[in-house]
Each structure stands twice: as C-alpha cells, then as structure tokens.
Amino acid sequence: MMSRGVTRVVRSLVVRQAAGPSRYFSTATVRTAASEAIGAGMFNVNPGKVSERAAVTWMRFPVMGARNCATVALDAKAQKEEKHADTGSIGGAPGAPDDKSIVSYWGIPPEKVTKEDGTEWRWTCFRPWETYKSNLSIDLKKHHVPSTFLDKVAYWTVKILRFPTDIFFQRRYGCRAMMLETVAAVPGMVGGMLLHCKSLRRFEHSGGWIKTLLEEAENERMHLMTFMEVSNPRWYERALVFAVQGVFFNAYFVAYLISPKLAHRVVGYLEEEAIHSYTEFLAELDKGNIKNVPAPAIAIDYWRLPLDATLRDVVLVVRADEAHHRDVNHFASVTI
C-alpha cells in the first residue's frame, strides 16, 4: 500500500513537470545517478519493484535544487573563467601578482580602456578621464591669519602636532611624505561621510561639498600610492600608521560633529604645513641629498607628466595639490 501511494504522488509530480514550460534536468541523467546511488547502498530498495525504483529516482534529486545545465559543463566554464579572468593588482596594474580587484559582478569583462596613443590602460584604481595636469602657478605662500578663537585653536593644534613629526622623521622626506598622506587622506572621507548622512537626515542638498571632499580624500590617497613606489616604510613606521590613523580618525570625527568650521580650519593649517614639508623636500632634491629618481609610472599617468619626468616633478605637482586643498578647506571653514 505504501509503495502504491508513493507511486501515485510521484506520477502526479511527473505529469506536472512534463506539462510545465521547461524541464530542469534529464530523466536519463537522474535515473543513472539514482541507479548509482542505489548500487552504492545509499537507499534500501527492492530491485524487483520498478515503482519503488522510480519513486527513488524522482524523490531524491529535487531536494538538491533545479539544474539548468550539466555539472561537467559548469565546471569547465568556471575553470575557463578563472583562467582567463582579467583583474587588477593591489597597485592597480592588471596581471600583477596578488590580484584582489573584481572585474565584474556578473562575470562580464569590462570595456577595454586605452590611452590617447592607443595603448592599453594599465590602472584600475583610476581611469584616463580622472587624470589631470596640476596647476603649478597656484600661490604657495598664502596663509590664513588666525583671528577667532577656533582659528587659534586649530593653528596651535597643528603646530604642536608638527613637533613630534619633525623629531621622528628628521630629514627622511620620502617616509615623511608617505606618513603625511596616510593622515591627510582621512579628513576628506570623514567630512564627506558626515555631510552625506546630514543630507539624508535633512532631505537637502549638500551644495556639492560631499563630492568635493571625497575627491580630496581620493587625491590624497593617490599621493600615498605614488610615494609607496619610491619609499619603503619600515615595520615600525607601518605600525605607527595604524596608531596615528586610529587616533586621528576618531578625533577628527568627533571634532567635525562638534564644529565643522574648526575641523576644516585644522585641515587648512595641516595643508599649509604640508606645503612647507614638500618645499623642504624639493630643497633636498636640488642639493643632491636625495636621489632624483625617475617618476613612478602611476604618477606619470595620473598627473599627465612627460615620460622623462623625475621625482622632483612629482613633488612639484603634489605640493600644488596640497595648496589647492588648503584653499578649499579654509573656504569650507567659513561656508559649511
């Protein structure tokens, strides 16, 4: 009786499946797999009863979910995609070891991006339309004289922070620049994030400041990626980055919640100190105390530098960027 009841249920399922618009698996494939499973002792079935064998054939495999194609075909396809995946490296150049970037969520390869000369674009961390030529004519000596109480707090806070930095790095300007950029890339991200949340809470526009601050953070990060090519930080300097970034991120986050004007004024004075540091960097390069090595490829593409550009050219454009960030943040201090 039990066998007949099961057989009726199975037959009804088979009829429904046959009447449907599609069939997800082959009956021959399923029966073969069921026969192998029965032979392996996975089921206790009477070989003489065809109805029980059919019940097992149709009741075992729907639990595993529908299949649209053969497993062998899926495995071959996965191996082919894994073999031919075109991904970018940590530094942004495709094909390098330790690839971590993802080309496409859907497995569709992106459009091939080329330079103006037709050569393939090698970076995934930025695209050709995000590159630019830095304005080297910007005023580097501009200084905001602290007038209000918050201005003075911001000014002396930055001056106090510069003292231990000078003692730690001394004349090692390559590592100094790298350390400076790990800190300088934080304020734009924090400010942009908080203004983003504020815009959502108040159902209002940000006046373009969210995008401006996030672009500033990305630009500072590109400074870091550039100096990583010419400077090799020591293990304790990397550890220091963890500590300083953790403290500075939270301190700036709280300061921005309390007073965005104070926070942006602090960044404005930090950028003034950055201009001073890069000016000293250039002086050491001109004296020959630091070797004027060729510019990294990432810097040549990002700032559209000539192919024969050197480290000095990189420092010049980075210093101009810092002057631009100085003006933006001093302006934000009286606008936001």
Side-chain angles (χ1 to χ4, degrees):
M1 294 295 293
M2 180 64 68
S3 175
R4 293 179 181 176
V6 172
T7 303
R8 290 195 191 97
V9 173
V10 171
R11 286 176 180 172
S12 63
L13 291 175
V14 172
V15 172
R16 290 180 184 177
Q17 182 69 20
S22 63
R23 194 175 68 188
Y24 295 111
F25 51 80
S26 168
T27 54
T29 303
V30 174
R31 285 169 181 162
T32 302
S35 300
E36 294 176 355
I38 294 171
M42 296 175 62
F43 302 100
N44 185 15
V45 179
N46 186 349
K49 295 185 178 181
V50 180
S51 59
E52 288 187 8
R53 295 176 62 86
V56 171
T57 301
W58 289 103
M59 294 298 288
R60 173 64 181 88
F61 288 92
V63 186
M64 300 171 61
R67 279 171 40 190
N68 294 325
C69 55
T71 307
V72 176
L74 284 175
D75 292 342
K77 183 178 179 181
Q79 292 175 2
K80 184 177 180 180
E81 290 178 352
E82 181 178 356
K83 182 178 180 180
H84 296 285
D86 182 16
T87 57
S89 68
I90 299 174
D98 298 330
D99 276 340
K100 290 188 177 180
S101 65
I102 299 176
V103 171
S104 170
Y105 179 84
W106 299 107
I108 303 175
E111 295 184 2
K112 186 176 181 180
V113 181
T114 59
K115 297 182 182 179
E116 295 179 354
D117 57 2
T119 58
E120 185 176 357
W121 186 257
R122 60 180 300 186
W123 312 106
T124 56
C125 53
F126 65 98
R127 294 302 187 180
W129 51 86
E130 296 173 333
T131 63
Y132 64 97
K133 288 186 177 181
S134 188
N135 180 20
L136 299 180
S137 63
I138 192 170
D139 187 3
L140 300 173
K141 297 181 180 180
K142 189 184 297 184
H143 169 65
H144 178 81
V145 179
S147 55
T148 65
F149 173 75
L150 290 180
D151 288 353
K152 294 177 180 179
V153 171
Y155 178 79
W156 287 109
T157 298
V158 173
K159 286 296 184 182
I160 292 173
L161 292 175
R162 183 184 175 90
F163 180 72
T165 305
D166 290 338
I167 295 177
F168 184 81
F169 290 103
Q170 298 181 359
R171 295 291 178 180
R172 294 186 296 116
Y173 287 101
C175 291
R176 184 193 187 104
M178 183 186 59
M179 182 69 180
L180 177 66
E181 300 302 342
T182 62
V183 174
V186 170
M189 183 61 65
V190 173
M193 175 186 66
L194 291 177
L195 289 180
H196 174 77
C197 294
K198 179 181 177 182
S199 175
L200 298 178
R201 292 194 307 269
R202 296 189 176 184
F203 303 94
E204 63 184 14
H205 294 284
S206 67
W209 280 108
I210 296 175
K211 184 177 181 180
T212 299
L213 295 178
L214 293 181
E215 286 179 345
E216 175 186 312
E218 176 63 13
N219 180 251
E220 298 284 10
R221 191 184 68 85
M222 290 304 301
H223 293 176
L224 174 63
M225 296 298 103
T226 299
F227 284 113
M228 283 292 294
E229 299 290 332
V230 297
S231 179
N232 187 23
R234 300 164 184 172
W235 68 268
Y236 57 84
E237 291 172 338
R238 291 177 179 270
L240 183 63
V241 169
F242 274 87
V244 172
Q245 189 180 83
V247 173
F248 183 74
F249 181 95
N250 289 284
Y252 190 81
F253 183 88
V254 173
Y256 207 98
L257 288 175
I258 296 174
S259 174
K261 295 183 181 295
L262 172 63
H264 282 291
R265 190 67 77 191
V266 167
V267 177
Y269 287 127
L270 278 175
E271 300 296 357
E272 290 184 12
E273 295 298 330
I275 295 171
H276 177 70
S277 296
Y278 283 118
T279 301
E280 291 182 341
F281 196 167
L282 287 171
E284 293 297 311
L285 284 169
D286 293 338
K287 292 178 182 177
N289 296 332
I290 300 177
K291 187 177 180 180
N292 191 22
V293 298
I298 190 172
I300 292 175
D301 287 339
Y302 185 69
W303 284 286
R304 302 179 186 176
L305 298 174
L307 296 178
D308 59 347
T310 62
L311 178 59
R312 190 179 191 280
D313 298 317
V314 174
V315 176
L316 283 172
V317 294
V318 170
R319 184 178 65 171
D321 287 348
E322 304 295 3
H324 175 71
H325 298 328
R326 170 205 62 193
D327 296 341
V328 169
N329 280 276
H330 279 317
F331 178 69
S333 181
V334 297
T335 304
I336 296 181

